[in-house]
Amino acid sequence: MLVHRRAQGLSRFPGRCDWLVGGAVAVGESYEEAAVRELGEERGRVFGVPVRFLFKFLCRGESGTYWLGAHEVVLGRGVFVPDPAEIDWCGWGEERELVAAVGHGGFVGDGGEALRRYPAG
């Protein structure tokens, strides 16, 4: 799984790690369209990658309650060029490593909730 550390200059969760790429759904935009757009904005140069809907739940997150729609994208272990305004670092890890790391802090809590609901978990 691809994990990233959010840039220090962000207004929400600066410097914290996450495995989710996210953002708000625009008016008239579907969850799937938003997922593709956010993936391209935050991970860089991965437009046109198919996304698969996984689940949706009412997330009682750190910054409020909202509907979180989770999608899965399968990418190769190629080189990514993340937007430095969004991401300070990104790297690959096994799912079991991610599960262990999420429980030790430094991660956005909403990502931990989604990870617990992830089908493989």
Side-chain angles (χ1 to χ4, degrees):
M1 300 180 109
L2 192 57
V3 179
H4 67 275
R5 183 176 56 242
R6 298 173 56 80
Q8 290 293 336
L10 294 175
S11 61
R12 293 184 188 207
F13 316 117
R16 291 175 65 190
C17 293
D18 207 344
W19 70 293
L20 299 175
V21 172
V25 177
V27 174
E29 185 177 46
S30 71
Y31 275 81
E32 288 75 17
E33 291 167 335
V36 170
R37 177 180 48 76
E38 289 291 342
L39 177 67
E41 288 175 3
E42 295 184 25
R43 295 288 192 212
R45 297 188 193 164
V46 290
F47 292 98
V49 175
V51 298
R52 180 174 69 97
F53 175 78
L54 294 176
F55 55 89
K56 181 174 154 183
F57 70 99
L58 188 61
C59 181
R60 300 188 194 294
E62 294 182 52
S63 60
T65 301
Y66 62 95
W67 286 101
L68 191 151
H71 297 74
E72 183 174 65
V73 177
V74 177
L75 302 170
R77 288 181 176 255
V79 176
F80 295 93
V81 183
D83 180 350
E86 298 273 348
I87 296 174
D88 282 339
W89 169 89
C90 64
W92 293 100
E94 298 292 329
E95 184 177 347
R96 61 182 162 70
E97 295 171 319
L98 180 58
V99 169
V102 166
H104 289 99
F107 273 79
V108 177
D110 303 16
E113 178 63 24
L115 185 60
R116 283 188 287 282
R117 296 170 184 266
Y118 185 70

